[in-house]
Amino acid sequence: MASERPCPADDFSIYYVLAECTDHYDSSPVKEVEENQPHSQGVTGLRNLGNTCYMNAILQCLCSISPLVEYFLSGKYITALQKDCSEVATAFAYVMTDMWLGDSECVSPEIFRSAFGNLYPAFMKKTQQDAQEFLIYVLNELHESLKKCHRKSYEKGSIPRCCRKTIANEVSIITQLFEGQLNYSIMCLKCENCTYKNEVFTILCLPIPSDYKCSLQDCLQCFFQQDTLTWHNQIHCSFCETKQETAVRASISKAPKVIIFHLKRFDILGTMKRKLRTDIHYPLTNLDLSPYICPVFRKHPKYNLCAVVNHFGDLDGGHYTAFCKNSVTQAWYSFDDTRVSEIPDTSVQTATAYLLFYSCQPFSIPIKKCKS
């Protein structure tokens, strides 16, 4: 099935429900799906349309997140579509359908690129783009296409003011999966008055504290350490009624179900540009975020890696690939445009990692069933 062709209406007579991972190997429906498919579901290459490796890597990662897969393949997205901005979400659903329900080992994402390029012409040019920037635009556009509006409110009650979450007034599958919230405590170093500011995020951009070797925890500690703002960075204190030196510390007041880390490998200082090739060790399982989460909300502090975007080359050019864990086979795969191969867990750790996708729960397995 090619992505250039719209999906027939009855393609969604097949839908996906989530089953527990522990039931996978004993479940006859799963074995039946595997026998009927020439290749594993969700293990499909994407054609390069001219320097679109950045797009292919991001699509592979998003299309490996099974709650998102279930949402689109079940047709749930159709009822949420906003009439005035539905093209990108619909095209995304077509690509995902090709990758999960099609019988081709490789498909073209042309319909998605065309719909996306109509809104953002820069991505239609056959020039290399930044995968992290592209991901931000994709998540935002999917959210705009699928959002539902609610009245904005704030948590009340016994929860400390510094840890209260802002309840968003626009909700979508994107906010439900990827949106988190940072809480900044801002303390005046003269009068010690403390104020709090909330900020939502879908991607955390982490500094890299070493040029040679470090861990993901080192990057997280660097991001969440206390910052002292002095001189020209001073903040106005409402109690002192003047600008003062200020201590700022961030914590996570709402942890997303899927957290995305952007490793800031591209360093630009004035006219100097360089890529940090630091070998960053990141765990495949049990990433502990509890030191950075407000104690009230430490329900799921540990995360498992589910996808990686790799970057090869330098700032002015290069190539993107993806590693994704398939929720059906529970194996890791390398996606390099049309080239797809299964890889061992030990190969997932590389010095080329640029974006890391972690989930707070093991992904369930999409099982093919018919509507009753």
Side-chain angles (χ1 to χ4, degrees):
M1 186 185 299
S3 289
E4 292 91 337
R5 184 177 69 253
C7 228
D10 62 354
D11 270 13
F12 293 108
S13 63
I14 294 172
Y15 70 103
Y16 279 69
V17 294
L18 299 178
E20 296 299 325
C21 289
T22 52
D23 296 337
H24 172 49
Y25 294 107
D26 297 324
S27 173
S28 56
V30 173
K31 293 179 182 178
E32 182 180 345
V33 168
E34 291 176 348
E35 290 170 3
N36 291 338
Q37 292 289 344
H39 67 287
S40 298
Q41 293 173 302
V43 184
T44 305
L46 292 171
R47 292 191 182 93
N48 192 310
L49 305 175
N51 280 325
T52 57
C53 56
Y54 67 91
M55 179 180 71
N56 290 348
I58 294 300
L59 288 177
Q60 291 290 2
C61 291
L62 292 179
C63 290
S64 70
I65 296 174
S66 60
L68 198 62
V69 173
E70 190 273 337
Y71 180 81
F72 278 93
L73 295 191
S74 67
K76 292 177 184 176
Y77 80 97
I78 296 173
T79 58
L81 279 176
Q82 301 292 313
K83 293 180 180 179
D84 57 343
C85 56
S86 62
E87 289 186 9
V88 170
T90 303
F92 183 79
Y94 290 164
V95 174
M96 187 175 290
T97 301
D98 283 355
M99 294 172 69
W100 278 87
L101 300 184
D103 55 8
S104 299
E105 294 183 358
C106 173
V107 298
S108 172
E110 175 60 38
I111 190 172
F112 179 81
R113 179 172 178 260
S114 178
F116 198 78
N118 287 338
L119 297 174
Y120 305 101
F123 293 108
M124 283 297 287
K125 299 176 182 178
K126 294 187 176 181
T127 56
Q128 186 61 268
Q129 303 288 338
D130 180 65
Q132 181 253 353
E133 183 181 358
F134 176 73
L135 175 60
I136 291 173
Y137 281 110
V138 170
L139 292 179
N140 182 68
E141 199 55 43
L142 290 177
H143 167 69
E144 289 297 319
S145 298
L146 303 166
K147 66 185 179 183
K148 294 181 179 179
C149 295
H150 299 278
R151 180 179 296 178
K152 190 173 182 177
S153 59
Y154 298 87
E155 285 192 332
K156 298 180 180 179
S158 59
I159 297 174
R161 186 160 57 98
C162 63
C163 292
R164 289 178 188 172
K165 293 186 290 185
T166 303
I167 300 173
N169 61 338
E170 294 180 346
V171 178
S172 69
I173 185 65
I174 301 302
T175 61
Q176 290 170 352
L177 291 178
F178 300 101
E179 188 175 276
Q181 182 177 279
L182 292 174
N183 177 269
Y184 291 93
S185 64
I186 306 166
M187 185 179 74
C188 173
L189 294 180
K190 183 177 182 180
C191 69
E192 297 188 347
N193 176 61
C194 199
T195 58
Y196 301 95
K197 177 185 176 184
N198 290 321
E199 183 180 283
V200 298
F201 70 89
T202 51
I203 300 175
L204 279 185
C205 297
L206 302 182
I208 301 175
S210 169
D211 286 349
Y212 304 104
K213 194 172 185 178
C214 68
S215 69
L216 181 58
Q217 284 290 356
D218 293 331
C219 299
L220 287 164
Q221 289 171 12
C222 187
F223 180 88
F224 286 103
Q225 70 183 356
Q226 179 173 295
D227 245 350
T228 302
L229 305 182
T230 60
W231 295 96
H232 299 298
N233 295 319
Q234 290 180 354
I235 294 178
H236 185 271
C237 175
S238 57
F239 280 75
C240 298
E241 296 185 341
T242 185
K243 287 187 176 182
Q244 298 289 355
E245 292 187 353
T246 308
V248 179
R249 182 184 291 274
S251 62
I252 299 174
S253 54
K254 176 195 171 190
K257 294 177 181 177
V258 179
I259 191 166
I260 305 171
F261 298 119
H262 166 221
L263 304 176
K264 297 174 68 174
R265 293 194 179 275
F266 300 147
D267 189 20
I268 302 176
L269 292 173
T271 58
M272 298 291 292
K273 299 188 298 183
R274 64 169 181 157
K275 178 183 176 182
L276 297 175
R277 303 181 187 276
T278 308
D279 187 2
I280 302 172
H281 176 77
Y282 45 91
L284 271 62
T285 58
N286 294 322
L287 172 66
D288 188 5
L289 294 183
S290 58
Y292 319 111
I293 301 176
C294 183
V296 179
F297 301 110
R298 287 178 185 168
K299 295 179 181 178
H300 305 290
K302 293 190 177 180
Y303 285 71
N304 297 318
L305 188 68
C306 54
V308 180
V309 171
N310 301 295
H311 181 266
F312 302 86
D314 53 32
L315 277 75
D316 299 317
H319 184 61
Y320 288 98
T321 67
F323 297 152
C324 303
K325 188 172 185 179
N326 184 273
S327 56
V328 175
T329 65
Q330 293 294 294
W332 281 94
Y333 293 87
S334 170
F335 296 91
D336 184 354
D337 292 331
T338 58
R339 295 179 292 278
V340 180
S341 59
E342 184 175 343
I343 58 174
D345 292 0
T346 52
S347 296
V348 178
Q349 172 74 54
T350 73
T352 58
Y354 183 54
L355 294 168
L356 302 174
F357 294 69
Y358 278 89
S359 169
C360 66
Q361 298 171 342
F363 280 157
S364 303
I365 299 167
I367 297 179
K368 184 176 178 180
K369 288 193 176 183
C370 295
K371 280 187 175 179
S372 55

